[in-house]
Amino acid sequence: MTGPAPLRALALLLLSLAAPAAAASTLGDGEAIEHALLPAVTGKVGLRVESLGATVVIEVPGRGAATVARALRRAPLAICPTVAEGAGEVRLGCRSRRIVARLLHPSDGTLLQLREVKGLPWAGEDAPPLVEHSPVAGAEASLDALVRGDFAAAEGDLRAAGAAWAQVRGGPYGRLASARLCELSWECLETSGLDTVYEPGDANPDAARELTLRRARALAFMDRPLEGARELLAGPAGRRACSGAPATCRRVLLAALRSPRAEERTEALAYWMALPDRGGGSRAYELDVAAADAAQAAGAPAFAANVLAAAAGRVPHAALPEHLLRTAELYLEADDRVRAGVVLEFARARSSRTALASPRWVKVTRAVGRRPAQGGGSIGAPPAALDTREAEALLADARRALSAPKDPTSGGRP
């Protein structure tokens, strides 16, 4: 390891290792930790941590979600104070993206542990990418230390992880170890600069790909997810890196599609279209919904509707009725009554009459029943997956809608 960034990272690491690992509500080294005892419910409780979305999801079987949500509202957590109950889950909204959580199982029940960490999270849905490295002759000991540190970090033992990474000095793995050490401290990332921390230099191809992935992930955590998505999906080098760690690429892109800035969401749609195997892999449905949300917000309801229609086979069973309803509403917003009618017939075959009697479905049914303004075809097969040329045309429409002057008196969607 050479240069000021590794030395600063190592100094910050040693300071962090001196901090007590006590289960206090707030630790003096900038890390906070809290615990909440969850009420007993029938079945096994699961946990999903979506750090980039500042969300912790408690998966509760049966009807236990309401019980857990009530308990957490009575004793609110400072780290993740927002509680939202859903079908089979409770979602906690957190004050930071730097969140690590786990379930502990003492003798008296299930304990939720939340940690707001000093650096980038090392676990959960947005954990660091693990790239396979081919051994380099003469550097086997360094690779072994790097991997030992990765295993220790995955177990939450940052002391052991940092000690192992600190043993890697120079050679083909030195830059990887330096980046890992810096990721343990937010201060190191901010003061060293990402270009310095993730500079590949003369790194071998495997190491260079991993540094690209880690830089994109760090950008997402630092509220610059579009830059991360651009680095991974705008060119062939980034896409090659994605092929070795598709989960990291998908999570960075998801953060970009959920950006609060409309122009960033629209650009992220182009990268969503470039995503390899966008209809498969982990969290594919979340990406579909985020892409549809971004398209609708940009004034392209036809794009949004086609995305949701193509995703119908990936919808969780409990979410299918709402998914179909929104798809039909978007087709109507795009003045495509024929495709809205296809979705309505699809929903009739899979939903109860009670569900289709809701005010929103009644509105869709009435709109579909009207004669189309210009001709119209018969209701046939469900809409096909989004064709690339059609998607590009719809995306161009979205960009034009986004850049067009807005009438402040119209009250319409941009």
Side-chain angles (χ1 to χ4, degrees):
M1 299 189 299
T2 60
L7 294 176
R8 186 183 299 111
L10 184 56
L12 291 168
L13 171 69
L14 293 174
L15 287 174
S16 70
L17 297 186
S25 293
T26 304
L27 303 181
D29 62 354
E31 180 172 327
I33 185 167
E34 290 182 314
H35 296 87
L37 184 64
L38 301 182
V41 295
T42 302
K44 185 177 180 180
V45 175
L47 188 69
R48 192 170 75 248
V49 184
E50 302 173 2
S51 303
L52 280 173
T55 303
V56 172
V57 182
I58 305 170
E59 299 169 340
V60 187
R63 300 182 179 180
T67 303
V68 172
R70 280 195 301 270
L72 291 173
R73 289 190 182 103
R74 285 196 299 267
L77 295 160
I79 296 175
C80 298
T82 305
V83 180
E85 176 191 343
E89 65 180 31
V90 176
R91 301 182 74 88
L92 303 179
C94 307
R95 67 188 182 188
S96 166
R97 294 187 182 93
R98 303 199 307 272
I99 298 296
V100 173
R102 60 177 177 165
L103 293 176
L104 307 175
H105 300 282
S107 58
D108 57 345
T110 300
L111 198 66
L112 171 66
Q113 182 188 78
L114 295 172
R115 294 176 68 178
E116 184 177 35
V117 299
K118 293 179 60 180
L120 299 186
W122 59 83
E125 297 274 313
D126 300 306
L130 294 180
V131 176
E132 184 176 356
H133 294 273
S134 301
V136 176
E140 293 87 353
S142 291
L143 179 58
D144 179 66
L146 194 76
V147 172
R148 280 192 288 106
D150 289 343
F151 277 112
E155 294 295 321
D157 189 349
L158 299 191
R159 294 174 183 245
W165 293 332
Q167 294 174 16
V168 183
R169 300 180 182 277
Y173 306 111
R175 292 184 181 275
L176 293 176
S178 175
R180 282 160 164 76
L181 286 168
C182 194
E183 288 175 352
L184 294 176
S185 165
W186 192 257
E187 182 182 351
C188 179
L189 291 171
E190 288 188 319
T191 59
S192 301
L194 299 189
D195 290 342
T196 301
V197 174
Y198 299 105
E199 169 60 44
D202 57 355
N204 63 38
D206 290 342
R209 282 194 292 270
E210 182 176 324
L211 288 167
T212 296
L213 289 161
R214 285 182 173 268
R215 185 177 189 277
R217 175 178 177 263
L219 283 166
F221 272 102
M222 300 181 81
D223 198 28
R224 296 158 61 188
L226 182 65
E227 294 179 49
R230 190 183 294 143
E231 186 158 309
L232 293 174
L233 294 164
R239 288 195 286 272
R240 282 195 296 272
C242 281
S243 66
T248 296
C249 292
R250 290 171 180 275
R251 297 298 297 177
V252 171
L253 177 58
L254 184 62
L257 286 168
R258 290 173 172 172
S259 167
R261 294 172 282 275
E263 66 278 4
E264 293 192 357
R265 295 195 300 270
T266 303
E267 183 178 340
L269 281 172
Y271 302 136
W272 173 79
M273 289 165 53
L275 185 70
D277 188 27
R278 67 170 181 260
S282 63
R283 321 309 292 179
Y285 179 62
E286 279 188 83
L287 278 167
D288 294 335
V289 173
D293 290 343
Q296 184 183 17
F303 188 117
N306 276 323
V307 170
L308 294 184
R314 295 186 287 276
V315 185
H317 179 74
L320 184 60
E322 175 63 25
H323 177 94
L324 295 175
L325 175 55
R326 186 177 175 215
T327 306
E329 289 173 333
L330 284 167
Y331 275 129
L332 290 174
E333 187 177 338
D335 201 23
D336 189 340
R337 295 176 189 165
V338 171
R339 287 192 174 187
V342 171
V343 176
L344 175 61
E345 292 304 316
F346 190 79
R348 282 174 172 162
R350 288 160 176 79
S351 304
S352 66
R353 290 187 177 183
T354 303
L356 294 175
S358 70
R360 287 170 63 195
W361 269 121
V362 169
K363 186 177 180 180
V364 167
T365 302
R366 289 173 178 168
V368 167
R370 299 182 193 135
R371 183 179 298 276
Q374 296 181 351
S378 60
I379 295 176
L386 201 63
D387 176 81
T388 300
R389 286 175 294 180
E390 181 184 22
E392 289 173 351
L394 290 168
L395 182 58
D397 289 343
R399 286 173 171 156
R400 283 193 294 270
L402 189 66
S403 60
K406 308 300 188 298
D407 180 359
T409 64
S410 65
R413 186 182 292 106

